Amino acid sequence: MQDLEAVVGGLGLERFALMAPLWLGPAAITLAVQKPEKISHLLLWCSWATGADYWASPAVEAMRALRDQDWVVYTETASHLALGWEAGPPARQFAALMRECVAQDAARAFWDALDDIDVSPCRR
């Protein structure tokens, strides 16, 4: 939330449309509720208000199990999901980049922190 407000402040935006995919949704929801005068449009893509909503998907649960069992297979699968199953070498390169940029323990800590997110009670 603080990062989002810093970017908005740094750009000097008075009013703007906000698109929030995946894990950015809770921060965008919070900003839209707390400062509705700033948001002209809010587009949420594959996002959620609570961590429980996110983990309720059988596909996400399967990916979570895979993440904990085999980091290489997890990143390969996530990469193919993001880029398309036919992506071949680019998907493998992206998976390798993911492994170079994020340690498995750091990624696990991030995803585990999602469990505690709940912006559903946001009020003006």
Side-chain angles (χ1 to χ4, degrees), residues 74-120:
Y74 170 80
T75 57
E76 295 278 339
T77 303
S79 179
H80 281 287
L81 285 171
L83 299 178
W85 290 104
E86 70 284 349
R92 285 189 295 281
Q93 291 170 342
F94 183 62
L97 177 65
M98 289 168 49
R99 290 189 299 273
E100 290 177 29
C101 293
V102 180
Q104 184 177 7
D105 290 341
R108 184 179 293 118
F110 169 77
W111 289 308
D112 289 346
L114 296 178
D115 291 341
D116 298 329
I117 293 177
D118 184 356
V119 298
S120 60

Side-chain angles (χ1 to χ4, degrees), residues 7-84:
V7 169
V8 169
L11 293 172
L13 301 176
E14 296 294 322
R15 191 162 169 80
F16 56 93
L18 181 59
M19 193 262 188
L22 304 166
W23 308 292
L24 300 176
I29 293 167
T30 301
L31 183 64
V33 169
Q34 291 179 354
K35 299 183 179 182
E37 70 283 357
K38 291 224 170 246
I39 309 296
S40 63
H41 298 82
L42 177 62
L43 174 63
L44 301 173
W45 177 76
C46 295
S47 196
W48 36 269
T50 71
D53 292 340
Y54 177 71
W55 295 116
S57 161
V60 171
E61 277 294 328
M63 287 296 289
R64 184 182 210 176
L66 184 58
R67 172 202 78 192
D68 293 336
Q69 291 176 4
D70 189 322
W71 182 237
V72 172
V73 173
Y74 170 80
T75 57
E76 295 278 339
T77 303
S79 179
H80 281 287
L81 285 171
L83 299 178

